[in-house]
Amino acid sequence: MDARSSSWGNNTGFGSPPANEIICGSAAVFKILLMNDGGLDLIRSDNKCSILPTDKEHVLLAAGGQNALTASLGTLLERGDKLGTDPLTYPGVKTAAKLLGIHLIPIQHNDYEMTEEGIRYAIQNEKIKGIYVIQDYHNPTSHIMSLETRKMIAGLAREKNILVIEDGINNLLAENPLPPIAFFAPEQVIYLSSLSKTIAAGLRTAFVYVPDQYHRSLATTLYTMNISISPLLAAVSAGLIADGMADEIVCGRK
């Protein structure tokens, strides 16, 4: 896939936009367009930074980031499988992994980032099936992953055919966001984004970019877990974004 820029022109209606794209870096908030057929497209409100070209068929909604993460783990890994993580990692992935019987394997680090040698070692010797990363404002270290490491992880994911779960939960707060790992290996990466950490804690609305190979199974898992997301929260999310309040909240938190 090639990177593209959103171009709105004077299109402010609810019809299909000129290009369907989901944002995976952030200096501004998503615009959510309710399509005529009931689907959703997520489109950048500016074109200042890198994006992951996609369409609404590759975007799933979840009831918050933790819900999206747990569904992804439960769908793509089996009990007893191993998942590589940072030595210090998000507590929520630990609880979800414990619930599902997934073993977390710490990957060798240098300057708060996974090393190529560490990932290769874990693939060969620990037989990890994938890795979980928070690339922007890592929890709990607050580190922002370098562009070189993002490209390295994407290259290894393609070479070794491993899954990457990329948690972009905090990336709306980045002033000058770097391209996500999913930008370089969209066929290998599940990308998670949510409004609860950046807009309001009770706004349990999450967006999941899903490659073709994982789409049907993850959609089924989310349906089984949730049936649907809350229509009320979806409406509140869309309203905050449409009237510009979401942008004001994010700008105030940077």
Side-chain angles (χ1 to χ4, degrees):
M1 298 182 182
D2 294 324
R4 298 173 297 179
S5 296
S6 300
S7 178
W8 278 86
N10 294 320
N11 181 8
T12 58
F14 284 103
S16 297
N20 298 324
E21 299 162 343
I22 183 174
I23 299 320
C24 291
S26 312
V29 181
F30 297 129
K31 284 186 179 295
I32 302 178
L33 296 184
L34 181 63
M35 309 303 288
N36 292 332
D37 62 0
L40 283 167
D41 277 356
L42 294 90
I43 299 197
R44 185 77 183 214
S45 61
D46 63 19
N47 59 2
K48 294 180 180 178
C49 55
S50 299
I51 56 177
L52 175 65
T54 188
D55 54 46
K56 63 183 178 180
E57 303 304 325
H58 293 87
V59 178
L60 298 174
L61 297 184
Q66 185 67 28
N67 178 249
L69 174 58
T70 303
S72 298
L73 293 176
T75 299
L76 305 171
L77 299 172
E78 297 180 358
R79 183 170 294 273
D81 280 349
K82 297 179 179 180
L83 180 71
T85 68
D86 297 299
L88 290 174
T89 193
Y90 168 52
V93 75
K94 296 180 180 181
T95 57
K98 183 177 181 180
L99 175 68
L100 298 168
I102 295 166
H103 303 292
L104 301 183
I105 305 298
I107 303 296
Q108 180 191 70
H109 255 215
N110 182 35
D111 292 332
Y112 297 102
E113 298 190 0
M114 294 182 182
T115 66
E116 180 175 350
E117 295 79 9
I119 298 174
R120 288 187 181 276
Y121 178 90
I123 293 172
Q124 180 175 345
N125 296 283
E126 297 289 352
K127 309 301 181 186
I128 62 170
K129 297 295 181 66
I131 59 175
Y132 167 79
V133 296
I134 304 175
Q135 83 286 37
D136 291 315
Y137 299 109
H138 179 275
N139 183 348
T141 68
S142 75
H143 179 73
I144 296 178
M145 184 184 293
S146 68
L147 180 61
E148 292 74 17
T149 297
R150 296 172 195 233
K151 291 181 177 180
M152 178 272 290
I153 292 174
L156 280 179
R158 283 177 155 169
E159 176 188 338
K160 298 297 185 180
N161 192 30
I162 63 168
L163 166 73
V164 177
I165 299 177
E166 185 175 15
D167 195 338
I169 197 73
N170 296 315
N171 73 348
L172 285 176
L173 300 175
E175 288 285 358
N176 298 296
L178 297 171
I181 298 167
F183 180 82
F184 303 107
E187 70 282 4
Q188 300 296 136
V189 181
I190 301 289
Y191 184 88
L192 313 178
S193 186
S194 170
L195 301 182
S196 59
K197 292 291 190 298
T198 50
I199 307 300
L203 203 56
R204 310 302 299 175
T205 306
F207 313 102
V208 187
Y209 165 77
V210 190
D212 286 331
Q213 61 177 321
Y214 305 128
H215 187 278
R216 180 181 294 274
S217 55
L218 184 52
T220 299
T221 298
L222 284 168
Y223 175 80
T224 302
M225 292 174 63
N226 304 328
I227 303 300
S228 69
I229 67 167
S230 165
L232 175 60
L233 290 183
V236 171
S237 300
L240 287 172
I241 293 169
D243 68 9
M245 181 61 70
D247 287 286
E248 293 182 19
I249 294 172
V250 170
C251 289
R253 291 185 174 182
K254 289 182 179 179

